[in-house]
């Protein structure tokens, strides 16, 4: 099995891919832990091996490890985890045998985050034509991928939770609220909590719809919009801008790179 690790700014996701008899692959198990660059390889091992034991997965069944990281300090500790506890040299997305393998048509290709490159790779493999990939993470990113699979650039916006944290943290009386769809269709709130939720939620929907419309106009060809990340499903219920919601896009990108490297 393949152990794929997606290191984001907020969470680290571990996923185990198994190969299907009829071909292809599926995610057999996945686990999430808060990102902490100080977490050692030994600490990762204690946590991960216990979870694998609960799932009945033997350590020896892991034959390949790959990780993509937007947190450089986490790379060393995950490498220790792979080498010390699994006896494997890990693949690092974007490097060596796991290089991107796509054109990155931006001013500074090396500055592109691993998650965005992985999303581009997986989206091109799964969906036809020109694409706009929206990833709801700590930041929300909008990425343009052309019909040849080339990464053409994109947009970085504050994530909705960052926006809410800034609003609450810089005001004296506004309460902390949970991100959810506002009740009813009205955008005129009659209490503080509803007014905040309407501003954050519908304001975010309006931003997404406006930016995607501008991106489509600039691309000049029909472009499918693929959403991923934790809040994609919630927003998909309240806007028609997404053509597909794919929660595992980044992990799938890791699996594609690992498969290429094994050939």
């Amino acid at each position: 099995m393949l152990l794929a690790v997606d290191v984001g700014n907020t969470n680290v996701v571990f996923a185990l891919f198994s190969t299907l008899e009829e071909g292809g692959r599926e995610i057999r198990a996945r686990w999430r832990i808060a990102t902490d660059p100080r977490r050692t390889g030994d600490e990762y091992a204690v946590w991960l091996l216990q979870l694998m034991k609960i799932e009945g997965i033997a350590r020896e069944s892991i034959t390949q490890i790959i990780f993509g990281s937007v947190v450089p300090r986490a790379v060393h500790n995950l490498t220790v985890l792979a080498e010390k506890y699994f006896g494997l040299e890990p693949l690092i997305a974007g490097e060596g045998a796991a290089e991107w393998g796509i054109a990155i048509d931006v001013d500074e290709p090396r500055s592109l985050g691993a998650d965005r490159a992985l999303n581009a790779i997986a989206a091109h493999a799964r969906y036809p034509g020109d694409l706009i990939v929206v990833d709801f993470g700590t930041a929300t990113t909008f990425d343009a991928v052309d019909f040849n699979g080339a990464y053409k650039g994109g947009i970085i916006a504050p994530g909705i939770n960052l926006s809410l944290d800034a609003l609450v943290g810089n005001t004296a009386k506004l309460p902390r609220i949970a991100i959810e769809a506002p009740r009813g269709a009205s955008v005129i709130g009659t209490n503080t909590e509803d007014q905040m939720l309407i501003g954050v939620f519908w304001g975010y929907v309006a931003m997404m719809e406006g930016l995607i419309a501008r991106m489509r106009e600039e691309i000049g060809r029909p472009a499918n919009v693929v959403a991923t990340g934790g809040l994609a499903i919630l927003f998909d219920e309240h806007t028609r801008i997404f053509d597909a919601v794919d929660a595992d896009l980044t992990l799938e990108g890791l699996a594609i790179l690992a498969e290429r490297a094994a050939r």
Side-chain angles (χ1 to χ4, degrees):
M1 283 191 290
L2 166 69
L3 175 61
V5 186
D6 171 26
V7 185
N9 288 300
T10 304
N11 292 302
V12 183
V13 179
F14 290 73
L16 285 176
F17 284 86
S18 59
T19 302
L20 301 174
E21 291 183 2
E22 61 271 21
R25 56 185 167 265
E26 67 175 0
I27 296 178
R28 177 172 172 182
R30 79 182 76 204
W31 306 284
R32 186 181 301 265
I33 191 171
T35 302
D36 183 351
R38 300 168 300 174
R39 185 172 286 113
T40 67
D42 298 328
E43 289 173 314
Y44 276 121
V46 169
W47 174 81
L48 179 61
L49 294 176
Q50 287 181 336
L51 290 171
M52 289 175 58
K53 185 176 181 180
I54 292 171
E55 295 284 345
I57 299 169
R59 187 187 318 192
E60 296 75 19
S61 65
I62 308 300
T63 57
Q64 196 178 25
I65 297 176
I66 185 170
F67 51 84
S69 177
V70 298
V71 183
R73 287 179 59 193
V75 172
H76 170 73
N77 292 331
L78 287 168
T79 300
V80 171
L81 167 70
E83 293 178 346
K84 182 176 180 180
Y85 291 94
F86 293 93
L88 297 170
E89 181 178 352
L91 296 165
I92 301 175
E95 299 182 12
E99 63 182 358
W100 300 130
I102 61 171
I104 300 177
D105 190 13
V106 296
D107 296 338
E108 298 179 2
R110 292 180 61 86
S111 69
L112 180 64
D115 52 347
R116 302 172 77 183
L118 291 165
N119 287 342
I121 291 167
H124 177 66
R126 289 189 167 194
Y127 306 99
D130 289 274
L131 302 168
I132 297 171
V133 182
V134 184
D135 188 353
F136 296 93
T138 306
T140 297
T141 55
F142 302 75
D143 292 310
V145 183
D146 75 7
F147 56 89
N148 290 316
Y151 178 85
K152 305 299 288 184
I155 298 166
I156 302 173
I160 190 168
N161 283 300
L162 278 181
S163 300
L164 182 58
D165 287 345
L167 179 63
V168 174
N170 289 281
T171 53
K173 297 180 67 176
L174 293 183
R176 181 164 296 280
I177 60 173
I179 300 298
E180 59 185 2
R183 296 182 295 272
S186 176
V187 293
I188 301 176
T190 56
N191 59 69
T192 299
E193 288 81 0
D194 284 353
Q195 290 171 7
M196 290 175 64
L197 190 55
I198 290 167
V200 171
F201 188 88
W202 289 122
Y204 219 78
V205 170
M207 178 194 72
M208 291 188 296
E209 292 175 342
L211 289 177
I212 287 171
R214 287 174 176 266
M215 290 180 74
R216 279 178 159 154
E217 182 178 0
E218 187 168 336
I219 290 168
R221 297 181 297 271
N224 289 318
V225 180
V226 182
T228 190
L231 291 172
I233 294 175
L234 173 63
F235 282 116
D236 185 48
E237 296 173 352
H238 299 279
T239 180
R240 297 180 180 178
I241 57 174
F242 303 142
D243 297 293
V245 174
D246 195 331
D248 297 322
L249 206 59
T250 311
L251 293 171
E252 180 65 22
L254 286 167
I256 290 171
L257 289 185
E259 183 179 347
R260 289 178 185 172
R263 291 173 184 168

